[in-house]
Amino acid sequence: MSVSISGVHILVDDPEAALSFYRDHLGLKVLNTVENGGYTWIVLVTESQPEVQIVLEHPHGGRSQANGEAVAALLAKGELQMVNFQSENLDETFERVSAAPGAEVLQEPADQPWGVRDFAVRDPAGNLIRIAQA
């Protein structure tokens, strides 16, 4: 039996700002956009792993009001799990991503004691994103 990852959801409070970050600056491709109940889910993929879908979703989309507010509060605090990406050209990716409106650079490209060279940013919603040299 073989199991693999088919998708990852990233919570965002401003879909347009998130789309600009992930599509225009990180270089992901839009696969699909789904509207339901006043909320939008944006499905993105990478060129190197098009089988893995990255879904941008609003904290209130598909949740009760109370649960949406709880998730939104965690998002606002930057307390959700980080997302890790790889890049063939880390320095070029850093230049593009660090120029994104709303992005906050936490760490410039550096060699890490765990054996990778990477950098860390927060996306416009406050999610921690680490990108490593492939």
Side-chain angles (χ1 to χ4, degrees):
M1 177 173 79
S2 178
V3 176
S4 60
I5 293 175
S6 64
V8 175
H9 286 242
I10 300 174
L11 293 164
V12 298
D13 52 3
D14 182 341
E16 291 303 316
L19 183 58
S20 173
F21 178 84
Y22 288 98
R23 181 192 60 201
D24 303 337
H25 295 277
L26 193 53
L28 305 185
K29 307 269 186 245
V30 175
L31 181 66
N32 194 12
T33 301
V34 177
E35 307 256 345
N36 187 6
Y39 296 101
T40 303
W41 286 259
I42 303 168
V43 182
L44 304 161
V45 295
T46 65
E47 285 186 28
S48 62
Q49 292 178 299
E51 71 280 5
V52 178
Q53 297 181 355
I54 300 160
V55 182
L56 305 178
E57 69 170 284
H58 195 278
H60 287 92
R63 293 180 179 83
S64 69
Q65 184 67 26
N67 287 347
E69 288 174 11
V71 172
L74 291 171
L75 178 61
K77 290 180 179 182
E79 290 297 325
L80 299 176
Q81 294 297 314
M82 86 171 101
V83 179
N84 297 82
F85 290 94
Q86 292 186 80
S87 172
E88 293 294 324
N89 187 328
L90 190 67
D91 294 319
E92 178 184 311
T93 302
F94 176 75
E95 292 304 316
R96 284 195 332 261
V97 169
S98 63
E104 176 190 359
V105 174
L106 301 176
Q107 175 207 308
E108 294 187 6
D111 293 327
Q112 301 300 335
W114 53 88
V116 301
R117 182 168 183 263
D118 73 354
F119 68 87
V121 297
R122 289 204 182 274
D123 72 6
N127 291 298
L128 176 58
I129 308 295
R130 293 197 78 89
I131 302 177
Q133 178 69 47

